[in-house]
Amino acid sequence: MQVTGKVVVVTGGANGIGKALCEAFHSAGASKVVVADMDSSNARAVAATVDGAAFKCDVAQEKDIAHVIDETERQFGPIALFCSNAGIGGGFDPMSVNAGGASDEPWQRSWAIHVMAHVYAARHLVPRMKARGGGYFLNTISAAGLLSQVGSPAYSTTKHAAVGFAENLAISHKAHNIKVSILCPQGVDTNMLRSIPKGPQSGDGDLAPEQVAKDVLAGLDQETFLILPHPQVLGYMRKKTENYDRWIGGMAKIQAKMRDEFGK
Ligand SMILES: NC(=O)c1ccc[n+]([C@@H]2O[C@H](COP(=O)([O-])OP(=O)(O)OC[C@H]3O[C@@H](n4cnc5c(N)ncnc54)[C@H](O)[C@@H]3O)[C@@H](O)[C@H]2O)c1
């Protein structure tokens, strides 16, 4: 798809990858870019630079997503592309004391933001897209949703669930001309990445959010399900499916190295 002349919504658009997506969609000629974020001051700042609109929204709340969709379509017309991009780090324990963690809170928060937010977007937009003959969802997930991120069980698990939901969205609605892409980078130089110590997620180099946004435009143009700004990820996926046990062993070695480094 081309975003030229289209209405686009980006959740988590106030910072990082989402901000770069808003800027790239504006430069590519989107008719309106809607920045939906909990961080309302930065959302307004980004909207001002892209001649867009800002909505304060907690993607974990279905009513907030429904409101963004209703108001965007009322004010600016049909949403052609909805980007579920908001995300949180969700706890990082380099020692991996217990993969189950100590409480439900980080799991529930990650589940709400990384999975249910995508479900709510679909619940409220699919009927409209079906009625008008199609639409597009771009879901920012992570290489952690395909490969796991050492030290981040809640993040990795909910990102895997997000991949599962995106596959189902694509399968269920291909016949309705609803397209889906998942964005699965490794390290991207944003506040989220800077909030955790440097680790294996940066092994192939951290990308600038602007580079990731360029890769998204190319991926949308080609309408590929999988958008991999770090092409190495495809090789890792192949290795994982070729021999799962060897892959677990390799990841456990990375975990052991991390424990040594952080345990000093
Ligand atoms: N930075 C990386 O290395 C990296 C790698 C792979 C995937 N990702 C994914 O990219 C996406 C964007 O992350 P980023 O790196 O740009 O981080 P970021 O922290 O710079 O931006 C995240 C944005 O999401 C917003 N947000 C968080 N919770 C929200 C909520 N409940 N409702 C509405 N907005 C909310 C924040 O206010 C912020 O503007 C996330 O889904 C993240 O998991 C990031």
Side-chain angles (χ1 to χ4, degrees):
M1 85 171 289
Q2 299 289 327
V3 295
T4 321
K6 310 261 173 63
V7 175
V8 179
V9 175
V10 182
T11 72
N15 297 285
I17 296 171
K19 175 173 182 266
L21 288 175
C22 291
E23 291 164 352
F25 294 145
H26 175 61
S27 300
S31 63
K32 190 56 78 176
V33 177
V34 171
V35 190
D37 204 298
M38 282 213 313
D39 176 356
S40 47
S41 67
N42 279 326
R44 280 198 301 274
V46 173
T49 64
V50 300
D51 193 21
F55 287 101
K56 184 167 186 189
C57 151
D58 175 358
V59 297
Q61 305 295 326
E62 181 171 7
K63 65 173 179 22
D64 284 17
I65 299 227
H67 176 74
V68 168
I69 292 170
D70 285 347
E71 271 307 298
T72 299
E73 298 216 337
R74 193 181 66 76
Q75 294 181 34
F76 310 116
I79 297 167
L81 170 65
F82 190 97
C83 307
S84 286
N85 166 79
I88 54 167
F92 172 67
D93 172 16
M95 302 304 284
S96 294
V97 173
N98 183 338
S103 74
D104 287 355
E105 199 281 329
W107 288 92
Q108 283 168 346
R109 189 90 191 117
S110 297
W111 177 256
I113 294 172
H114 297 154
V115 187
M116 292 315 294
H118 299 195
V119 173
Y120 300 147
R123 189 174 289 164
H124 290 273
L125 260 179
V126 163
R128 294 172 189 250
M129 288 177 171
K130 275 166 94 168
R132 54 187 176 240
Y136 212 119
F137 291 92
L138 170 78
N139 293 349
T140 304
I141 305 184
S142 170
L146 304 164
L147 299 164
S148 279
Q149 181 167 317
V150 178
S152 302
Y155 185 81
S156 300
T157 305
T158 54
K159 292 291 188 177
H160 273 73
V163 173
F165 179 66
E167 287 175 358
N168 278 274
L169 184 60
I171 293 164
S172 302
H173 300 297
K174 191 171 173 58
H176 306 118
N177 195 33
I178 294 176
K179 295 176 179 149
V180 183
S181 290
I182 60 172
L183 171 61
C184 295
Q186 300 187 85
V188 184
D189 186 19
T190 67
N191 292 338
M192 182 186 290
L193 188 68
R194 283 177 229 125
S195 72
I196 61 168
K198 210 136 180 95
Q201 65 279 359
S202 299
D204 294 312
D206 296 333
L207 297 177
E210 294 73 21
Q211 177 59 50
V212 173
K214 268 192 203 153
D215 295 334
V216 165
L217 285 183
L220 292 177
D221 183 42
Q222 290 158 23
E223 302 188 347
T224 49
F225 179 71
L226 196 52
I227 301 179
L228 294 178
H230 296 82
Q232 297 90 338
V233 170
L234 191 60
Y236 303 145
M237 286 170 75
R238 289 197 175 115
K239 284 204 157 70
K240 176 177 172 175
T241 52
E242 254 166 42
N243 188 333
Y244 230 120
D245 295 305
R246 192 176 56 199
W247 178 80
I248 298 271
M251 294 296 273
K253 278 187 192 147
I254 295 174
Q255 173 66 78
K257 197 162 160 255
M258 201 184 257
R259 275 201 189 103
D260 282 350
E261 279 167 17
F262 282 87
K264 278 177 194 156

